[in-house]
Amino acid sequence: MSFTGINESDVDRMYLTLKKEAEDGGYRLNPDVDFTKNLIRGLLKNEQRYGYRACPCRLASGRAAEDLDIVCPCDYRDMDINDFDACYCALYVSDAIAQGGKTVSSVPERRPPRSDRGKRTAVHTISTGPVPALPLPVWRCRVCGYLCAREQPPGICPICKVTKDRFERFI
Amino acid sequence: MAVEHVDGKDKGNVMLFALSTCGWCGKTKDLLRQMGVRFDYVFVDLLEGKEQDDAMNTVEKFNPHGSFPTLVIHDKLAIIGFREQEIREALGP
């Protein structure tokens, strides 16, 4: 599908950027380039109409705070790659699929339904018992799990390149 | 609601709820076309306000997750996601 106002040279440029960023962080883009570029057109379309790159396979609300979990790469990507060899929209895939040993199939939705959203803080809360006093807080990237101990989370996750607002206080 | 109609073999009421940007929705639509089945589809992301809300309520009735694609067959069976074999079995020759 093509969309009005989406420039093909932007699609090609974004494809190369995402591919490099993915591979630098140990991730893989879907090897089906046509399918992948189609998803990129969707991401650019969503950026144009909502102001952020919401998952092309999910209905965005248009309200950034409510959709933070589905801004690509989404909070569910790594779990879906582990369990189903691809993220929900199949932009990112496992090594097995990237190398052609497996094919992608439909991934069930793990994002909570509309009625259960907004209660998303508890997803990764793990009971740890008493925690020793630390000189700095520990921040966790909700997308890739990267941890760092510093006053504030980094502006960009060094592993998966998501922005600061995707970090949560971990300890 | 901006429902698009695709002509083909009459297999009863076949309604596809899709997103215009979704790769799996596109594959589902292509499969139905290739099977030559008569169906209707709507891009829910292109609807606005109450129309979009109404469409989502219908999708959630068949698929509580409200995910796409949701293919509703005969107003009762829902196939969620691009499940080629299930679609072929439900609407095959």
Side-chain angles (χ1 to χ4, degrees):
Chain A
M1 174 130 183
S2 61
F3 298 105
T4 47
I6 303 297
N7 186 323
E8 280 308 300
S9 61
D10 290 342
V11 174
D12 292 342
R13 198 171 323 122
M14 185 167 158
Y15 173 78
L16 293 176
T17 307
L18 287 185
K19 189 164 160 41
K20 180 172 189 317
E21 282 182 1
E23 287 169 6
D24 286 351
Y27 293 92
R28 300 281 175 264
L29 287 193
N30 191 322
D32 181 342
V33 178
D34 288 342
F35 185 85
T36 300
K37 285 193 175 174
N38 220 9
L39 293 172
I40 290 174
R41 285 181 199 103
L43 285 169
L44 288 169
K45 182 71 200 175
N46 284 347
E47 183 167 49
Q48 187 188 73
R49 60 185 171 171
Y50 305 124
Y52 47 92
R53 291 179 183 174
C55 175
C57 292
R58 291 175 166 120
L59 183 63
S61 67
R63 292 175 292 275
E66 284 174 33
D67 289 340
L68 199 55
D69 61 324
I70 57 162
V71 172
C72 185
C74 68
D75 286 12
Y76 314 102
R77 173 183 67 173
D78 290 23
M79 290 180 276
D80 283 334
I81 293 174
N82 271 333
D83 294 350
F84 303 105
D85 287 291
C87 71
Y88 184 66
C89 74
L91 178 64
Y92 294 96
V93 298
S94 67
D95 275 341
I97 286 183
Q99 287 156 10
K102 264 187 172 179
T103 50
V104 192
S105 58
S106 183
V107 175
E109 175 62 299
R110 72 166 80 225
R111 186 189 198 208
R114 278 198 299 178
S115 51
D116 287 349
R117 283 180 207 149
K119 308 167 189 164
R120 55 182 205 93
T121 46
V123 179
H124 298 292
T125 305
I126 297 162
S127 171
T128 52
V131 174
L134 297 172
L136 289 166
V138 177
W139 301 94
R140 176 183 185 276
C141 173
R142 295 182 65 94
V143 175
C144 72
Y146 167 73
L147 297 177
C148 58
R150 46 190 279 173
E151 293 292 350
Q152 289 288 319
I156 301 283
C157 174
I159 303 302
C160 73
K161 314 300 179 202
V162 297
T163 47
K164 181 177 182 170
D165 51 1
R166 308 294 290 276
F167 278 77
E168 62 188 354
R169 176 84 186 258
F170 191 63
I171 303 173
Chain B
M1 198 161 69
V3 176
E4 303 281 338
H5 182 75
V6 178
D7 251 332
K9 277 177 283 185
D10 184 4
K11 295 276 181 179
N13 210 356
V14 179
M15 178 73 192
L16 174 66
F17 291 92
L19 299 179
S20 67
T21 50
C22 168
W24 296 112
C25 298
K27 278 185 184 275
T28 306
K29 194 146 64 71
D30 290 346
L31 175 66
L32 291 171
R33 278 220 167 88
Q34 184 205 327
M35 289 171 65
V37 172
R38 191 177 82 186
F39 68 102
D40 293 317
Y41 69 91
V42 62
F43 286 138
V44 178
D45 60 313
L46 302 183
L47 303 176
E48 284 178 14
K50 188 179 178 311
E51 266 200 337
Q52 190 182 72
D53 243 25
D54 290 347
M56 277 312 290
N57 290 336
T58 309
V59 171
E60 284 166 348
K61 204 170 79 184
F62 293 100
N63 164 14
H65 253 100
S67 60
F68 299 92
T70 294
L71 180 65
V72 179
I73 299 169
H74 305 155
D75 294 312
K76 51 173 200 265
L77 170 70
I79 298 179
I80 298 158
F82 175 63
R83 301 195 178 273
E84 179 168 356
Q85 203 181 334
E86 280 179 48
I87 296 170
R88 285 190 185 280
E89 277 166 18
L91 297 170

